[in-house]
Amino acid sequence: MNKDKKEEKKFEVNLDNLKPLDVKKSKGKFKTFTNGSVFEGSPIQPYLGKPLVINLDKILSIYPGEDGIGTMIHAEDNQSTWKVLEEIDIVIKRINE
């Protein structure tokens, strides 16, 4: 297997077996979630399932994922919208820790 194939293999994800990360309870304005971002039509998913750290001061709203998976976290001033694998009740609990 050549080097390029090894790099591609490293980012391939089994979409049928996604699980949120086991995140320890934390204090402060930065919280860690499991990135749920997917590049449609691509077998390579470099961010999916990886840690995503969000500044709680920038969160405007949270709502269930539109596709029924995980939660969407929307930042103020349309800065970003993040998809995380955790369900909304877990996101709310983690934000309020």
Side-chain angles (χ1 to χ4, degrees):
M1 188 180 284
N2 66 27
K3 187 177 180 180
D4 291 337
K5 289 289 183 190
K6 284 181 184 177
E7 284 296 311
E8 282 183 25
K9 188 87 171 149
K10 183 169 79 172
F11 294 115
E12 286 181 9
V13 176
N14 181 354
L15 298 175
D16 298 324
N17 191 25
L18 292 176
K19 296 178 184 164
L21 297 171
D22 183 23
V23 177
K24 305 264 190 273
K25 185 175 180 179
S26 63
K27 292 186 177 186
K29 68 179 188 174
F30 294 96
K31 299 293 180 179
T32 302
F33 299 94
T34 308
N35 197 328
S37 300
V38 174
F39 293 121
E40 293 296 325
S42 174
I44 299 171
Q45 303 295 331
Y47 306 113
L48 184 62
K50 303 290 192 262
L52 175 67
V53 179
I54 297 174
N55 181 345
L56 298 183
D57 291 344
K58 301 297 180 183
I59 293 176
L60 176 65
S61 62
I62 60 173
Y63 47 93
E66 291 131 356
D67 58 3
I69 300 171
T71 304
M72 301 299 290
I73 301 174
H74 186 70
E76 62 187 14
D77 300 325
N78 286 328
Q79 292 178 23
S80 289
T81 298
W82 303 282
K83 180 177 177 93
V84 298
L85 293 180
E86 289 82 2
E87 296 298 325
I88 193 164
D89 56 334
I90 292 174
V91 172
I92 292 169
K93 181 180 175 185
R94 199 169 293 160
I95 286 172
N96 290 319
E97 286 179 341

